[in-house]
Amino acid sequence: MVETPQSNSTFLYPTFFLLTGIPGLGGAQAWLTMVFGPMYLLALLGNGALLAVIQTDSTLHQPMFLLLATLAATDLGLATSIAPGLLAVLWFGPQPVPYTACLVQMFFVHALTAVESGVLLAMACDRAVAVGRPLHYSILVTKARVGYAALALILKAVAIVVPFPLLVARFEHFHAKTIHHAYCAHMAVVELVVGNTRVNNLYGLALSLAVSGVDILGISGSYGLIAHTVLRLPTREARAKAFGTCSSHICVILAFYVPGLFSYLTHRFGHHTVPKPVHILFSNIYLLLPPALNPFIYGARTKQIRDRLLETFTFKKSQF
């Protein structure tokens, strides 16, 4: 039987927290598994296929595809860090999660989010160099530099996100065990803390603005340079093709940042005006929709990968 906290109780390092999913929906939230379940399945199949194709085809071991593989690996980790628990909460109702496991999930969710944001920036810069300086692309962008960039993004994410669970772990008392969320988000856990959480709030605000703000500015600048270059192309067909590719990439970027910024801003400043179920719903969409879309937008629309997938399926079909 799951223990439920009393309203006036405080708990010293609770052995578990209770995740309730999306508040206010009750048993109706089970229907959301029909939305989030397919999203997770698409993320697994799409990103898994993308990684398999890039790994097995040596002709795809180029900087652009290595960045795409980094994004696919990040998407797999990000979706898997929340989807199994989310689906369990939606289908079976509130679920207990051990205290330590909650802090571990908090770290991975926020770290992988930071890595994904950095990879999107790196991919935008890569495309800006490819479009703006095509003759120098092979010199400026190499496999070694892509590897260093991926390592730097991982180390940066670990360094800036490690304080999140540590800042929570320093508190000894909690006024409740119930987290009104579908996963252990930093601010959702901080709401349960007994004590002064000013440092947690300020660090979370500064980190979100610094990481997301810098990455959004970099992505905007990169696509601005791409648009400037594309507009100077000689034929309408070339411009339309380039803009078609860029617009699909921008849609994926917006799908990552818009729900995330909405969730963050409503949690900070709009919790009295935006219903909590809407806020929680967007925060889950923010983490599952991009991993489901990215393989099809970035991967399936890339000619080399699309051709390789068609060859694979055609070969398997001919064997039967």
Side-chain angles (χ1 to χ4, degrees):
M1 177 179 291
V2 176
E3 180 182 351
T4 57
Q6 302 298 319
S7 59
N8 294 324
S9 300
T10 59
F11 304 93
L12 179 64
Y13 284 124
T15 57
F16 68 90
F17 289 113
L18 189 66
L19 293 172
T20 63
I22 300 174
L25 297 184
Q29 67 180 355
W31 290 100
L32 289 175
T33 57
M34 299 177 67
V35 177
F36 292 115
M39 279 188 188
Y40 183 46
L41 183 61
L42 284 175
L44 288 178
L45 295 178
N47 290 291
L50 200 57
L51 285 171
V53 167
I54 294 175
Q55 181 182 8
T56 56
D57 191 341
S58 60
T59 63
L60 298 179
H61 295 176
Q62 303 172 29
M64 180 181 73
F65 300 110
L66 295 178
L67 283 172
L68 190 56
T70 305
L71 181 66
T74 305
D75 281 337
L76 275 177
L78 184 59
T80 303
S81 67
I82 71 158
L86 167 65
L87 296 175
V89 170
L90 293 179
W91 189 255
F92 298 108
Q95 297 291 309
V97 55
Y99 175 81
T100 302
C102 187
L103 297 184
V104 170
Q105 185 187 45
M106 180 191 304
F107 168 77
F108 276 105
V109 167
H110 292 290
L112 290 169
T113 301
V115 172
E116 173 131 350
S117 181
V119 174
L120 290 175
L121 172 59
M123 293 178 70
C125 293
D126 171 76
R127 291 299 86 201
V129 174
V131 173
R133 302 283 298 276
L135 298 179
H136 301 88
Y137 177 79
S138 60
I139 299 174
L140 296 174
V141 183
T142 63
K143 289 191 288 186
R145 288 179 178 175
V146 169
Y148 292 141
L151 179 60
L153 288 174
I154 294 171
L155 293 177
K156 182 196 76 171
V158 170
I160 63 179
V161 174
V162 159
F164 275 153
L166 295 181
L167 286 172
V168 173
R170 68 192 175 99
F171 293 104
E172 296 183 352
H173 294 87
F174 296 79
H175 62 75
K177 295 181 181 180
T178 303
I179 300 176
H180 296 290
H181 211 298
Y183 62 91
C184 292
H186 173 245
M187 292 309 302
V189 178
V190 169
E191 289 178 349
L192 308 182
V193 166
V194 175
N196 188 347
T197 61
R198 183 184 180 92
V199 174
N200 297 68
N201 295 331
L202 289 177
Y203 185 77
L205 177 62
L207 185 61
S208 297
L209 292 177
V211 173
S212 298
V214 170
D215 290 347
I216 290 173
L217 286 176
I219 291 171
S220 301
S222 297
Y223 278 100
L225 292 173
I226 292 173
H228 177 72
T229 303
V230 168
L231 288 173
R232 295 187 298 172
L233 292 176
T235 64
R236 179 180 298 179
E237 291 77 10
R239 291 194 296 269
K241 181 179 179 181
F243 273 125
T245 301
C246 290
S247 62
S248 62
H249 292 182
I250 291 172
C251 287
V252 172
I253 291 169
L254 291 176
F256 178 74
Y257 283 108
V258 171
L261 289 175
F262 175 84
S263 175
Y264 177 79
L265 293 175
T266 54
H267 189 94
R268 292 280 181 177
F269 309 110
H271 53 276
H272 295 301
T273 57
V274 178
K276 197 174 184 67
V278 175
H279 163 227
I280 303 301
L281 185 62
F282 266 84
S283 68
N284 287 284
I285 291 174
Y286 156 60
L287 294 178
L288 281 178
L289 183 59
L293 291 180
N294 287 345
F296 302 96
I297 300 298
Y298 285 109
R301 287 178 63 93
T302 303
K303 185 178 185 303
Q304 294 94 321
I305 293 179
R306 186 171 63 248
D307 292 345
R308 186 67 178 86
L309 285 172
L310 289 174
E311 289 175 6
T312 301
F313 287 123
T314 302
F315 175 74
K316 288 183 177 180
K317 185 177 181 179
S318 65
Q319 290 182 319
F320 294 96

